[in-house]
Amino acid sequence: DPVINPTGGVSAVSGDGIYVWYGLEKSGDNFLDFQRCKRNIIDDSFSYDAFVNINTANNTFVYGALGAVCTNNDGSILCYYQLPPTHLPDGSGAVYAHFLTQDADGVVTNKHQQILIQADNEPTLTFNPNDFGRALAMSDSGNRLVVSAISTQFPSGKIGAVYVFTRVGNAYILEQRLEASNVGFVFGHDVTISDDGLVIAVSEVYETDGTTLTNGRVTIFKFNGTTWVQDDVLSISSATPAGLYGDSGFGFSIKLNGLGNILAVGAPYAQKVVNNIPSTEKTGAVHAYEFENNVWMLKKTLYDSGVLDGAELGRSVEINSDGTIIAATSPKTDVTSATFINPQTAPNIVIFR
């Protein structure tokens, strides 16, 4: 019988909260499948609803390699990143899109698969050629898909690119490639998009060597009706208590609310600041920004007094549609042992309102 894959980051919840997609490992094999469960709104129970089998002659995956996964509002589109099968060129990583046709009751009547890879005429791939699709985001309708390719190298010295695709029927067509405003960081560590698909945020966490952690930055892009344009660049200055040590990991995880006017930014290696004085404890933090008066403003930096040094609060963040609730993980106990908390026996999700 299939069991839930214990590797993190293999599930996605539809925007309406009715469907949950999650990856499976089939016993005795090294490939992954996806199962969709549907919520019964009467008793809040979940039951099997649909299945995507990706075990074919040309689609064999290494167990544990799966990373990013996303779905749309009604769970009818599933996109995920995987190391590519051998029949794809360049070994550049791939994004698989599954389009499900549903009747009025949500019963799946047809399935269509598309494989997205980095085009041959795109900038060269460098230190890790398997990074096309390492971060994904999808608009509410599924009409826009955002794909990160952090190992793309440009002649200017920029590292990383983000590709925006638009949906045409049961296929995604490349709309535009987004780049960093200047060199220095790896562009595309995480991506997020508003429900209407008109606002995109892209984070940069590491220097161009791909390993040195920084304070990071987040670039906001907006669609002006014909093209995507840069709207703002957000960062935490090393001159402030929150960025004093210069390696907070600002942007490690990011999430826009439904309207695209509130942004949660995780900084899991930030030191806790009490009364504007930084402590020696690097518990992590979450920064909440809001777009008001045509400017992105830092509204509050969120800490949790209950987490320990090295807890990495903000390693993953989520925000509800109206931006009134932010959830953040704090998966580790202390920085010296880096021992993971068992999520079944100890809390590792912090809720802010």
Side-chain angles (χ1 to χ4, degrees):
D1 295 330
V3 294
I4 296 179
N5 184 335
T7 304
V10 295
S11 62
V13 182
S14 61
D16 59 12
I18 300 298
Y19 297 100
V20 177
W21 283 100
Y22 58 94
L24 300 175
E25 176 203 10
K26 299 195 75 175
S27 301
D29 294 317
N30 65 342
F31 57 84
L32 288 168
D33 298 324
F34 274 94
Q35 178 169 302
R36 191 180 76 171
C37 286
K38 185 177 181 180
R39 171 175 166 245
N40 185 323
I41 60 175
I42 297 177
D43 61 6
D44 278 338
S45 63
F46 282 85
S47 58
Y48 165 79
D49 170 73
F51 192 77
V52 172
N53 190 335
I54 56 178
N55 179 37
T56 67
N58 290 326
N59 293 332
T60 302
F61 300 99
V62 178
Y63 167 64
L66 184 143
V69 57
C70 63
T71 189
N72 62 333
N73 182 64
D74 64 3
S76 63
I77 304 175
L78 173 69
C79 291
Y80 52 86
Y81 158 80
Q82 264 291 4
L83 296 177
T86 55
H87 72 291
L88 291 181
D90 303 327
S92 59
V95 175
Y96 285 71
H98 291 265
F99 303 88
L100 280 60
T101 302
Q102 304 176 156
D103 62 19
D105 297 322
V107 177
V108 176
T109 58
N110 189 34
K111 301 176 184 178
H112 177 78
Q113 175 182 284
Q114 180 191 15
I115 303 175
L116 302 172
I117 60 174
Q118 196 165 29
D120 293 337
N121 60 354
E122 286 297 303
T124 58
L125 300 175
T126 54
F127 43 80
N128 188 346
N130 296 315
D131 280 332
F132 179 78
R134 290 299 295 269
L136 300 173
M138 187 183 296
S139 64
D140 210 35
S141 65
N143 288 339
R144 275 204 171 97
L145 174 67
V146 184
V147 179
S148 167
I150 60 175
S151 291
T152 305
Q153 180 171 337
F154 295 89
S156 64
K158 296 179 184 178
I159 300 293
V162 168
Y163 297 83
V164 184
F165 294 86
T166 56
R167 181 187 178 189
V168 179
N170 287 332
Y172 282 111
I173 306 300
L174 180 62
E175 178 182 32
Q176 187 174 332
R177 185 186 68 217
L178 307 180
E179 304 173 16
S181 56
N182 48 53
V183 300
F185 297 157
V186 176
F187 183 76
H189 182 85
D190 198 10
V191 295
T192 180
I193 188 170
S194 60
D195 283 355
D196 61 9
L198 300 179
V199 183
I200 291 174
V202 181
S203 68
E204 302 164 78
V205 176
Y206 293 99
E207 293 184 7
T208 51
D209 61 5
T211 58
T212 303
L213 193 69
T214 71
N215 264 342
R217 62 191 178 199
V218 176
T219 304
I220 310 294
F221 296 89
K222 290 187 176 180
F223 188 68
N224 65 7
T226 57
T227 188
W228 288 91
V229 295
Q230 181 175 305
D231 183 62
D232 206 344
V233 178
L234 311 178
S235 62
I236 294 295
S237 170
S238 59
T240 65
L244 180 64
Y245 296 117
D247 57 356
S248 68
F250 177 88
F252 199 94
S253 58
I254 56 177
K255 190 69 174 180
L256 282 163
N257 70 329
L259 294 176
N261 66 333
I262 299 177
L263 176 69
V265 180
Y269 308 107
Q271 72 279 10
K272 185 186 297 183
V273 177
V274 180
N275 296 325
N276 211 37
I277 300 175
S279 71
T280 58
E281 293 185 344
K282 287 194 171 185
T283 60
V286 178
H287 304 278
Y289 288 83
E290 185 173 8
F291 186 72
E292 57 181 14
N293 299 322
N294 295 318
V295 177
W296 284 93
M297 300 290 295
L298 176 62
K299 304 299 289 187
K300 192 172 182 64
T301 297
L302 307 170
Y303 303 97
D304 177 33
S305 59
V307 300
L308 303 175
D309 185 24
E312 297 187 6
L313 175 68
R315 190 175 181 87
S316 178
V317 297
E318 285 289 341
I319 188 170
N320 67 336
S321 183
D322 64 8
T324 58
I325 301 175
I326 293 175
T329 60
S330 54
K332 294 186 179 180
T333 56
D334 65 82
V335 72
T336 54
S337 66
T339 302
F340 278 89
I341 295 173
N342 183 343
Q344 296 180 343
T345 60
N348 69 335
I349 298 178
V350 181
I351 308 296
F352 299 96
R353 296 179 183 269

